[in-house]
Amino acid sequence: MTSVGSVNGLAKTAATAVLPKRFHAKVDVRWSDMDAFQHINHARMVTLLEEARIPWLFDDRPTAGLRNGCVLADLHVRYRGQLRHEDTPLDIAMWIQQLRAVDFTVGYEVRANGAALDSPPAVIATTQLAAFDIDTQRLRRLTSAEREYLAQWKGE
């Protein structure tokens, strides 16, 4: 079960820059997401990131057209702490790090349920997504509506 909401950025400290506007998704951890060491398996973490991204980009949004053609071009995941089944639902914060003509990069911070938004995330990740035309098998430019929607989530 995934629930979603949006939260504007918080100040890192009283005297530093404000974080970008972030979309927050609550994603449940399944028992099958755990590995032998009782923390979330890497492959399953990538799936949880995808589950968080879907309602933000594909559900009744200006970017819903990407459902018909969007490819993952690059992925980076850094683990800063363990996440376990009891940390469910995970809070996955997302924003746009880079926005270009045919692609964009999503930044992620993953925290355990109940963790303060200004606490260090357990997982930091990025995915580069590219708009793709399935019929022609070529990249396509993002539409102006897609770009406008994504731009509102862009970090400084």
Side-chain angles (χ1 to χ4, degrees), residues 10 12 19 23 30-32 48 52 58 86 89 111 113-114 117 123-124 127-129 131 133 136 139 147-148:
L10 301 171
K12 289 182 182 179
L19 296 174
F23 185 92
R30 296 168 293 265
W31 188 253
S32 60
L48 294 170
F58 300 148
E86 58 266 19
R111 291 179 177 81
N113 184 40
L117 294 177
V123 176
I124 299 169
T127 55
Q128 180 187 14
L129 301 165
D133 185 317
T136 64
L139 295 176
R147 287 186 57 76
E148 286 175 24

Side-chain angles (χ1 to χ4, degrees), residues 99-119:
L99 179 58
R100 300 188 311 180
V102 300
D103 67 345
F104 55 99
T105 301
V106 177
Y108 304 83
E109 290 184 343
V110 183
R111 291 179 177 81
N113 184 40
L117 294 177
D118 61 351
S119 67

Side-chain angles (χ1 to χ4, degrees), residues 2 9 13 16 21 32 35 39 55 57 69-70 81-82 84 101 105 131:
T2 304
T13 67
T16 63
K21 179 179 174 183
S32 60
D35 64 15
H39 54 251
L57 297 178
C70 185
Q82 292 188 34
R84 299 173 181 266
T105 301

Side-chain angles (χ1 to χ4, degrees), residues 3-84:
S3 61
V4 291
S6 62
V7 176
N8 284 328
L10 301 171
K12 289 182 182 179
T13 67
T16 63
V18 173
L19 296 174
K21 179 179 174 183
R22 295 177 179 207
F23 185 92
H24 287 259
K26 296 288 188 182
V27 180
D28 287 332
V29 177
R30 296 168 293 265
W31 188 253
S32 60
D33 294 335
M34 310 308 294
D35 64 15
F37 302 108
Q38 299 304 304
H39 54 251
I40 299 173
N41 173 281
H42 170 71
R44 301 305 292 197
M45 179 55 69
V46 172
T47 299
L48 294 170
L49 295 175
E50 179 182 30
E51 289 176 9
R53 189 171 63 235
I54 287 170
W56 179 42
L57 297 178
F58 300 148
D59 288 352
D60 196 28
R61 311 266 185 220
T63 49
L66 292 171
R67 286 186 300 218
N68 301 322
C70 185
V71 294
L72 181 70
D74 193 39
L75 166 73
H76 294 270
V77 182
R78 295 181 70 187
Y79 297 92
R80 301 295 178 111
Q82 292 188 34
L83 290 169
R84 299 173 181 266

